Amino acid sequence: PAPTAGRHTVCYVRVSSSDQKADLQRQADRLKAFAVNLGVKDAQVVTEIGSGVNDKHRKLNKVLADPTVGTIIVEHRDRLARMNAGLIESALEASGRRLIVIDDTDLDDDLARDVTEVLTSFCVRLYGRGAARSKVEAALKAVRGA
C-alpha cells in the first residue's frame, strides 16, 4: 500500500568505510534501478559512509526526520542499521511511511539474527571492518557444526 505520509521516495545507500566508495556507487545504481522498476521516477539517492554499529548517520537521521519522505528503499537491512532496524521500520509504519528492503534474505531465526548482529559488532571493534564478516561467518559455522 502507498504510504499516507510524504510522497517522496529516498534510496538510502551506506557503506562502512571510504575504501568501499566503488561499492557505494554500485549500490546506488541498483537502488535507483529498483525504484524506477517500481514506477518511481524521481527517487532521491542519499549516500553515506560510516559504520553501521553506531547511530551517528547524519544523512539517515535527516531522511528519517523528513515528513515528506514516505518511502525509504535500502538494499539490505544492515545498510539501514546493524541492529534494531526493525524498530526503525516500526516507527516508519506508525507514521504512515514504509521501508522497502530489496534483499531481505536475512536469517529467518530471530535469535540467530540477533547473535549475528552482536558478534558482528564485537568483531568490528576487535578486528576492523574488513575482517568482521568473515569472523562472524566462521563463528556461526563452528556453532552450527557443533
Side-chain angles (χ1 to χ4, degrees), residues 1-12:
T4 58
R7 296 181 188 193
H8 292 98
T9 298
V10 170
C11 299
Y12 178 71

Side-chain angles (χ1 to χ4, degrees), residues 38-96:
L38 284 179
V40 179
K41 295 179 180 138
D42 58 347
Q44 176 187 3
V45 177
V46 174
T47 61
E48 194 156 44
I49 297 174
S51 172
V53 178
N54 61 43
D55 61 355
K56 296 181 177 25
H57 301 117
R58 186 179 53 82
K59 292 180 181 180
L60 175 59
N61 288 331
K62 188 174 178 179
V63 167
L64 292 172
D66 184 351
T68 67
V69 175
T71 303
I72 300 172
I73 302 173
V74 295
E75 190 164 41
H76 300 279
R77 280 189 191 284
D78 71 346
R79 298 298 86 198
L80 184 67
R82 212 34 108 176
M83 292 192 261
N84 297 321
L87 292 175
I88 295 172
E89 186 172 9
S90 294
L92 289 169
E93 287 176 5
S95 62

